[in-house]
Amino acid sequence: MKKITTIIGIMLLLSGCSQKTKVSNTEETSSSPTSQSTSSQTSSTQETSTTATAEESSTETTTNTETASQAATFNGAYYSVQGKYGEVIIANKKHPLASTYAPGENPEAKEAFLRLIADMQSQGFDISNSYSGFRSYETQTWLYQSYVNQDGQAAADTYSARPGYSEHQTGLAFDLMDSYGNLLQEPTASQWLASNAHHYGFIVRYLAGKEAITGYMAESWHVRYIGQEATDIYNSGLTLEEYFGVPGGDYE
């Protein structure tokens, strides 16, 4: 991690601080015609009820499957899904960005992020005013290759995005740092961030235990701006991929 921090520090200077039913058998307790008729009617009613239940279950399963397999749409620059309050950009190992997409830091996201930093500082957390924000395709190309040269591609892919796949290129992602230029990992500050980022419209993007879904190691310092729906995502305990039902994980 010391190596990662050093390289990001260099990158910041270069860029300007830039996730059944079992049917019961009807017991035949009487051999009389009336009893047999009643048993037959009861069995028929149970079968009808079971069929209806099966149909309802099938409908629910279909609905859930449709939600789980929701597809992000591509507009030529990025993939997105429709959230409760508007469009949500998706950038992960399954959803790349166009190399020409360079929006810079989103003004709304940056304003919220600076408020987040100020509030953490006011509470005594060692948070620097310096951070890693927007990265162009070209900057990510340089950064990723430096990690590959340092640790090999397999290792680099666990903590750095290939060019065109980084959330930083969307202008909506930020990495917090401490006053020494290290990525934020101090436990108390990290826990506060994880619990309160959503109040500012952010989610901690890469959660521990969700590596197979997000495609990256846990990063306590990396926040992604969502806006109002960040609170819904935080309360769900899900990753962005799980919450919106879009594919995640490793590269194709």
Side-chain angles (χ1 to χ4, degrees), residues 102-178:
E105 288 178 348
N106 178 281
E108 181 179 316
K110 183 175 181 178
E111 188 277 331
F113 182 68
L114 294 179
R115 282 194 294 108
L116 171 62
I117 286 180
D119 286 353
M120 292 189 74
Q121 291 173 337
S122 69
Q123 295 193 42
F125 294 118
D126 181 22
I127 303 297
S128 173
N129 288 322
S130 297
Y131 61 88
S132 178
F134 170 74
R135 296 179 201 154
S136 67
Y137 182 93
E138 292 74 22
T139 297
Q140 189 65 31
T141 298
W142 171 83
L143 182 64
Y144 175 75
Q145 190 57 52
S146 69
Y147 289 142
V148 171
N149 295 342
Q150 172 183 284
D151 296 324
Q153 186 173 45
D157 279 341
T158 66
Y159 62 81
S160 180
R162 296 177 185 178
Y165 292 85
S166 174
E167 278 201 325
H168 285 278
Q169 192 183 334
T170 68
L172 297 167
F174 302 85
D175 291 342
L176 287 91
M177 296 181 174
D178 63 25

Side-chain angles (χ1 to χ4, degrees), residues 21-234:
T21 303
K22 178 185 289 186
V23 180
S24 300
N25 293 324
T26 304
E27 297 181 1
E28 296 181 2
T29 56
S30 172
S31 60
S32 67
T34 301
S35 176
Q36 290 176 350
S37 175
T38 300
S39 176
S40 175
Q41 291 174 357
T42 300
S43 177
S44 175
T45 300
Q46 289 176 333
E47 289 175 1
T48 301
S49 177
T50 300
T51 300
T53 300
E55 290 176 348
E56 291 172 0
S57 177
S58 176
T59 300
E60 291 174 358
T61 300
T62 300
T63 300
N64 290 337
T65 300
E66 290 173 350
T67 301
S69 61
Q70 179 180 352
T73 57
F74 187 66
N75 67 359
Y78 56 79
Y79 285 91
S80 67
V81 294
Q82 186 62 36
K84 290 171 63 175
Y85 309 102
E87 179 187 61
V88 177
I89 294 177
I90 302 295
N92 62 18
K93 292 180 178 181
K94 294 289 196 301
H95 300 87
L97 303 157
S99 61
T100 54
Y101 183 58
E105 288 178 348
N106 178 281
E108 181 179 316
K110 183 175 181 178
E111 188 277 331
F113 182 68
L114 294 179
R115 282 194 294 108
L116 171 62
I117 286 180
D119 286 353
M120 292 189 74
Q121 291 173 337
S122 69
Q123 295 193 42
F125 294 118
D126 181 22
I127 303 297
S128 173
N129 288 322
S130 297
Y131 61 88
S132 178
F134 170 74
R135 296 179 201 154
S136 67
Y137 182 93
E138 292 74 22
T139 297
Q140 189 65 31
T141 298
W142 171 83
L143 182 64
Y144 175 75
Q145 190 57 52
S146 69
Y147 289 142
V148 171
N149 295 342
Q150 172 183 284
D151 296 324
Q153 186 173 45
D157 279 341
T158 66
Y159 62 81
S160 180
R162 296 177 185 178
Y165 292 85
S166 174
E167 278 201 325
H168 285 278
Q169 192 183 334
T170 68
L172 297 167
F174 302 85
D175 291 342
L176 287 91
M177 296 181 174
D178 63 25
S179 60
Y180 297 97
N182 299 310
L183 293 167
L184 180 65
Q185 297 183 74
E186 196 280 318
T188 304
S190 297
Q191 183 55 56
W192 188 94
L193 180 64
S195 300
N196 292 279
H198 68 99
H199 294 306
Y200 302 82
F202 290 95
I203 59 171
V204 174
R205 183 68 172 87
Y206 305 119
L207 304 174
K210 300 286 190 175
E211 293 84 354
I213 297 170
T214 64
Y216 297 101
M217 58 177 268
E219 295 186 358
S220 58
W221 56 85
H222 180 109
V223 293
R224 159 67 194 275
Y225 188 72
I226 300 295
Q228 189 174 350
E229 200 161 359
T231 295
D232 297 270
I233 298 174
Y234 169 75

